[in-house]
Structures are given as C-alpha cells and as structure tokens.
Amino acid sequence: MNFSSLPTITGGIIIRQNEDVALGPLLLDSRELRLAPGSIFFAIQGKNHDSHHFLEEIYEHGIRQFVVEKAGDYAQLPQANVIQVPNGIEALQRIAAYHRQQFQLVLLAITGSNAKTIIKEWISQILEQQYVVARNPKSYNSQVGVPLSVWQISDAHEYGVFEAGISLPGEMAKLARILKPTRGLFTNMGPAHDQGFESRVQKIYEKALLFQSCDKIYYCLDHEPIDEVLTEIYQRPGQLVSWSFQSHTSASYYVRKQPGDRRDATKITVKTPQEAYVFQLPFRDAVSVENATHCVIILLEEGLDKGVIQAGLNKLKAVPMRLSLKQGINNCQVIDDTYNNDLAGMQVALDFMLQQKKVLHRVVILSDLLQTGLPAEQLYTQIAQLLKEKQVTHLVGIGDDITTHAAMFAGLDARCYPHVQALLAENLQQCFSDAIILVKGARSFGLEKVVKSIQRKQHSTVLEVDMDAVGHNLNFFRKQLTDGTKLMVMVKALAYGSSSYEIAQLLQHHRVDYLAVAYVDEGVSLREHGITLPIMVMNPTPDSFDKLLTYHLEPEVYSIALLQYPSDSCQSLASSVLGFFLYILLGN
C-alpha cells in the first residue's frame, strides 16, 4: 500500500506529495516514534491533546509521511507527504481494514467482559505449535489498538487471534469491519463498561456484532443472556458452537470437571454424542478452568490433534496483563516480558523501556524469536533496526539463530549464548549494573530463570501496582477537567508507597503539567532519575534553597519569613518568588 493510494482508501485529500513510498509503521504517539522506511504519523486533535503541535518536531526526527486533520499548506514539512482527512482515527481504521482484506487467513476474534487477553494468549501459544500466528500485542483491543495490531499481518501468517473491546455503542461495528473474522468467541459478560450502555443486554448485542462474518461462533451455554442474544441473531445451521458444564443435551459439547492427577490440576472430560476427550488443565481455580475450556473447545473444532492440545495445555501459565517492572541487582531495573514471543510485542516492550529515564545502559536479553514466519535474515535485520531506534546499548542473545546472525548487531555491545544455562554460568553480579534490562523471548528457552537471577531478592509481601490502571485513572480524571485546566500530581512519600520514580515517569509520559513532593530530597531524587517536569516542593526549608536552585525545583512559599531568609545563594530565587507573591497580593 503506497501513500498515493490513501485518498481512495481514506477519503482524504493530498496536500503535499513528494516521493511515493510504501507505508511502514503506523505512528500515533509523538513520544514513541519509530523511524523506519515508510513510517507514517497520524496527527489527532483531541480534547486534551493535539499532536498537530508536534509535527515540526516529528519531521525533524526524520518522519516524512503524515495524516492530518487540520487544513493548511504544511510548508514547514517541505519534503513530506501529507494527506488531510476528516478524522485521523477513522482513517487509521480504514487503512487497517483495507490491509486485512489482502489476506485470507483464518481469524479468530474474541470479545466479552473478561479474559479476552488471557484466552487470546493461550490459544495463540497452542496454535503456534503448528501455525504462524498473528495476534494483538498485550491488550491492544481498542479503536486504535485493533488497527495497529492488524497492520502487522503479513503473507507469512497462517492464523490470526485478535481480541476486541468496546466501551460505547457503535464501536464494535467499526472493529468488525477491520477484523473481518472467520471465527468468533464470546467469553462472558460482566459489569465492565456498563455505564456506556442502556442495559447489559444492549451491551451483549453490541459485542455480538463482531461475529457477522464468522463461520463459527464459540461460547459457553451456561451464560444464559449471551446464549439468548446469539441464538436470536445467528441462526445459520452449525454457526453456533456451544459448550456447558451443566447441560448434557442442549450444548454442542458437555464438559465434566473433576480433580486432576496433581494438586494444582483439573481433569475435564469433553463429550459429544459421538465421542469423549479427556484433558488435564494446569489450574484448579474456576475462572482459569473456564478460560482453558474455551481454548480446548475451539482447538478441537479447528481440528488440532488431542496430543498437540494437551502438550500445549501443559505449558500454560498465568499471563501478566502488562510488562512487569522489577528491581534488579546492582541498581538495575528489570522488565519481565518472558511470556511474549512476537515482533509486535517487542515494539511495545522497547517503547516501555524507552520511557524509563536516567539509565546509563539499556540492555536487551533476547532469545530466538520463533514462529514469526519471517526469513531469519529479514527478522534479525528488523530486530537490529528496532534496537538501534530505541537506543539499546547492549544485547545478550540466546539461541542458535540469533547467534548465527550476531553480525547484524554491529554497533551494539552484543554477546550471544547457545542456551540460558550458558548465560547463567556467567557471574551475572558482575555483568550488569546501573542498567535497565528487558528480558524477552520464547517460553521454551526458560528466560524466567534469567529474571530470577538478576532480580533483587524481595520479602514475601509485595505490593504490585498496575501501571495501566494508573494511566487509565489519570485519563479518567483529566477528562472531567475543563479545557485549559492544568494538572499537578502529588508523588511524595515514594508516590504513597508505589515507587515515585516509576509513577513519575508514567506521569511525565502522559504529559501532566506539574509534580509535587513533600521535601527537597524527593525532588532531587526525581531529577536524578530523569524527570524534567516542573516539580513543586511543599515543605521547603531555608537550608534547602541551594538544592532548589541547583535542581530547578519550585518551593511552596508558606510564610513571609521564608521569603526573607538572607541567603546569598538564593537571593535571585527569593527575589523572583517575592515578586510573584506581591503580584498575587496586589491583584495585578
């Protein structure tokens, strides 16, 4: 797909055109640019953020293709291709939908209130034993996440597994046009996003629109409201494939569960009128058993051998909903992404790594990436380019393929090992210090052993903070503010025990206006970890004014005596603060 084809696809108007090139990575965040052939940036004008303001800066970074919403001649982008569209998000969706139409692969689309990401990952992991699988990285299931995920589909992929989530009526129809699934799974229905719909039933109807192009739709008959809606909408013989823990006769599959051979396992017997299959699931809790049973039913229907399914089930484990940031040895931070093994997920992990400021070294410990469908030379060329773009300084490769192609990582401090045991034989205490370390790769390599060896030993009680939830909450409250209102966020006392550095980095990434701390030393520490936002110190003392000046911190002045502190080193600071204080007192 070339730039010149975009007017037909998006309904837009080309404002500037230079060299007509094929589209590369689709970019929406000016903070996470990927300079690759054909990279194209979508400028979106939102209520609290307008990325049109950053176009010149993005152009200076080397991006030469732009989708914009605002009219203009864009003379400040002289060598760029620029197309104006009525709505940038809609243009992104149309481009992804057109891209999807070029491929005939089987595509399973998953929706529901819960477990979409877990089931997507589990099914993908088992299918990867036989197919090259495309899927959303992490939980990229939104109006933006789905098109970005679909864009990664290539000729190499044989199967697609994608999740889709909505929060308002009308959204699922858009995702359905992008995905055009051939199979569908409705997981369950709960209260998530109820506030966007008139009723729970309306929400089920909206989600069910995802399956209009599906040959088969899978669901659990025990969720009666889902059954009622699906049987009303979809009546083609054989289209609905149901299973049940309760009904022997109504469902396509009856599933009986009992304790497994191990204390942490459950045995399920899956029965049809013709035959029965027995599987052992590596879980005992009811939620995981239901999620894994969804996987079993779909995989049986897709024709996978019982032995292949069981082998895949044996390797399943809980899926983290986000990248795990952990404290490491020798003043290191460790990003644990050991369960994820795809190129799109690597892009997400490297973007997350780049958000972490004030590090001397960026280290990636990477195994061979399996089942990408790309020729090895092309795959490792792309990986090397990604590492360079994301300012990675050191690479530790594990596996035969990455070792064979080690020459492609020229410019990096790169070391390769045939297997994890060879790396663990090194004295890792001496290998890593003052670094942020991303550990990523295929599960078969056992990279969790590496994480364990470089992670700082912890007490048995651990507080886990969901950074996705923090970002969601921030954006929720930001939407309640009137336009132009600035936002100051308090991060004192280690962000109330949730780690001030990581929280502050997330807030800086989301462009809050101010941070506030209680004491000067807290502000100094944030500066030393790369925080550049304005920082207010709520409890400054006269003897801390030198540090205030040195580290560009701003004091809250709570008394005249504090303004009158006779320190030569802070005279300029006191004068400017006094002037501002008098300005407020006089009212002009």
Side-chain angles (χ1 to χ4, degrees):
M1 187 188 311
N2 282 17
F3 182 84
S4 59
S5 63
L6 292 186
T8 302
I9 296 170
T10 66
I13 302 171
I14 290 181
I15 296 175
R16 304 184 70 88
Q17 182 165 357
N18 290 279
E19 181 182 1
D20 187 25
V21 298
L23 300 190
L26 310 181
L27 310 174
L28 283 90
D29 194 332
S30 59
R31 299 158 297 185
E32 297 177 356
L33 297 177
R34 182 182 173 192
L35 183 57
S39 294
I40 182 166
F41 184 82
F42 291 75
I44 309 299
Q45 182 178 10
K47 178 181 177 182
N48 298 298
H49 177 71
D50 186 351
S51 52
H52 291 81
H53 297 157
F54 304 98
L55 292 183
E56 288 187 61
E57 178 185 336
I58 295 166
Y59 182 83
E60 290 299 318
H61 277 82
I63 304 300
R64 290 295 180 267
Q65 301 197 90
F66 297 87
V67 175
V68 301
E69 296 177 342
K70 293 183 176 180
D73 61 8
Y74 292 93
Q76 73 274 30
L77 314 176
Q79 298 178 337
N81 294 331
V82 183
I83 181 171
Q84 183 190 351
V85 298
N87 183 289
I89 299 298
E90 183 177 324
L92 173 74
Q93 294 172 342
R94 289 187 177 189
I95 291 170
Y98 180 86
H99 179 73
R100 164 67 180 100
Q101 291 171 14
Q102 312 312 306
F103 305 96
Q104 302 302 314
L105 76 170
V106 176
L107 193 149
L108 170 68
I110 304 171
T111 193
S113 292
N114 300 299
K116 296 185 293 293
T117 301
I118 291 172
I119 295 174
K120 176 203 70 185
E121 291 293 330
W122 285 354
I123 289 180
S124 299
Q125 289 170 16
I126 299 174
L127 284 171
E128 282 173 345
Q129 297 176 102
Q130 293 190 183
Y131 300 101
V132 179
V133 180
R135 64 181 185 268
N136 320 64
K138 300 295 179 182
S139 54
Y140 273 36
N141 60 24
S142 66
Q143 298 293 298
V144 168
V146 168
L148 291 178
S149 300
V150 165
W151 185 249
Q152 68 171 305
I153 297 176
S154 70
D155 289 326
H157 291 112
E158 303 166 298
Y159 210 109
V161 185
F162 291 86
E163 58 176 297
I166 61 172
S167 56
L168 294 170
E171 291 183 338
M172 189 58 86
K174 297 177 183 178
L175 299 185
R177 285 193 292 270
I178 298 169
L179 289 170
K180 282 291 182 183
T182 59
R183 312 283 193 271
L185 168 64
F186 206 131
T187 62
N188 51 52
M189 184 51 58
H193 301 298
D194 271 358
Q195 66 275 17
F197 300 89
E198 295 177 1
S199 66
R200 189 77 55 86
V201 172
Q202 185 205 18
K203 187 169 66 171
I204 296 174
Y205 273 102
E206 287 287 334
K207 287 181 177 285
L209 294 176
L210 179 61
F211 306 132
Q212 293 181 81
S213 59
C214 291
D215 301 321
K216 293 182 180 180
I217 303 166
Y218 304 103
Y219 69 101
C220 178
L221 190 69
D222 302 337
H223 298 292
E224 294 181 6
I226 295 176
D227 176 56
E228 291 172 1
V229 171
L230 291 180
T231 52
E232 177 186 338
I233 299 177
Y234 300 107
Q235 300 179 352
R236 195 165 70 240
Q239 189 176 19
L240 296 180
V241 180
S242 62
W243 65 270
S244 174
F245 286 127
Q246 302 168 6
S247 174
H248 292 264
T249 57
S250 301
S252 309
Y253 292 88
Y254 168 63
V255 181
R256 183 168 60 89
K257 54 184 176 179
Q258 61 191 97
D261 298 338
R262 303 189 315 269
R263 211 169 87 179
D264 61 345
T266 300
K267 183 181 293 185
I268 62 170
T269 302
V270 181
K271 295 183 178 182
T272 69
Q274 292 78 31
E275 51 193 322
Y277 307 89
V278 178
F279 296 96
Q280 182 143 290
L281 311 179
F283 309 103
R284 288 294 296 274
D285 65 286
V287 172
S288 295
V289 169
E290 178 175 314
N291 294 338
T293 303
H294 278 305
C295 298
V296 168
I297 301 302
I298 292 171
L299 295 167
L300 283 173
E301 281 283 319
E302 292 300 303
L304 263 70
D305 179 78
K306 176 182 178 297
V308 172
I309 297 173
Q310 184 61 67
L313 292 172
N314 293 341
K315 298 176 183 178
L316 294 185
K317 60 181 181 179
V319 176
M321 291 299 98
R322 61 180 179 86
L323 294 162
S324 300
L325 184 63
K326 304 174 179 179
Q327 292 300 315
I329 58 176
N330 302 331
N331 197 34
C332 290
Q333 292 177 303
V334 180
I335 302 173
D336 183 358
D337 197 21
T338 54
Y339 73 96
N340 198 301
N341 182 40
D342 56 65
L343 200 55
M346 186 168 185
Q347 169 77 37
V348 174
L350 288 170
D351 285 340
F352 180 75
M353 185 186 209
L354 199 58
Q355 293 173 24
Q356 316 307 314
K357 306 297 183 181
K358 189 60 179 178
V359 291
L360 297 179
H361 310 292
R362 289 188 174 88
V363 181
V364 173
I365 300 177
L366 178 68
S367 79
D368 291 346
L369 292 188
L370 309 176
Q371 297 292 334
T372 65
L374 297 176
E377 186 170 347
Q378 180 182 349
L379 171 64
Y380 291 104
T381 298
Q382 289 189 29
I383 291 174
Q385 183 179 3
L386 265 176
L387 297 180
K388 180 180 179 181
E389 291 168 6
K390 302 306 177 182
Q391 304 171 28
V392 172
T393 55
H394 298 69
L395 171 69
V396 177
I398 299 174
D400 293 336
D401 284 350
I402 198 169
T403 300
T404 301
H405 295 86
M408 293 184 174
F409 302 101
L412 290 177
D413 182 355
R415 293 172 289 160
C416 292
Y417 299 86
H419 43 68
V420 162
Q421 288 74 19
L423 173 60
L424 294 176
E426 302 272 6
N427 185 348
L428 297 185
Q429 290 282 343
Q430 297 180 2
C431 291
F432 304 112
S433 63
D434 299 306
I436 184 162
I437 306 168
L438 169 63
V439 186
K440 178 174 179 56
R443 297 179 310 281
S444 58
F445 283 87
L447 289 176
E448 64 273 5
K449 299 174 185 175
V450 177
V451 173
K452 185 177 180 180
S453 67
I454 61 177
Q455 183 179 357
R456 194 168 68 190
K457 305 308 177 192
Q458 297 183 348
H459 299 292
S460 57
T461 301
V462 177
L463 171 66
E464 182 170 318
V465 179
D466 188 334
M467 301 295 268
D468 289 341
V470 174
H472 170 81
N473 294 342
L474 171 68
N475 289 324
F476 173 81
F477 287 110
R478 179 178 260 159
K479 288 178 181 177
Q480 313 311 309
L481 303 176
T482 56
D483 292 345
T485 303
K486 292 190 175 183
L487 188 62
M488 175 185 284
V489 182
M490 182 69 70
V491 291
K492 67 170 188 161
L494 292 176
Y496 300 95
S498 57
S499 184
S500 56
Y501 312 141
E502 287 81 2
I503 295 294
Q505 286 161 358
L506 178 71
L507 296 171
Q508 181 166 273
H509 179 73
H510 283 279
R511 292 195 176 102
V512 303
D513 302 289
Y514 257 87
L515 300 178
V517 296
Y519 302 104
V520 169
D521 288 345
E522 293 177 311
V524 170
S525 182
L526 291 178
R527 287 282 185 252
E528 289 177 340
H529 281 79
I531 301 302
T532 58
L533 287 173
I535 299 175
M536 177 74 76
V537 178
M538 307 305 290
N539 296 290
T541 57
D543 59 356
S544 68
F545 277 15
D546 289 343
K547 287 185 177 179
L548 288 169
L549 284 169
T550 301
Y551 290 94
H552 304 286
L553 306 173
E554 303 181 21
E556 179 196 21
V557 179
Y558 51 82
S559 71
I560 294 295
L562 192 63
L563 280 172
Q564 295 173 338
Y565 182 69
S567 169
D568 293 337
S569 64
C570 66
Q571 184 175 359
S572 61
L573 174 66
S575 297
S576 63
V577 172
L578 179 58
F580 178 75
F581 187 73
L582 292 174
Y583 177 90
I584 297 299
L585 286 178
L586 295 173
N588 54 45

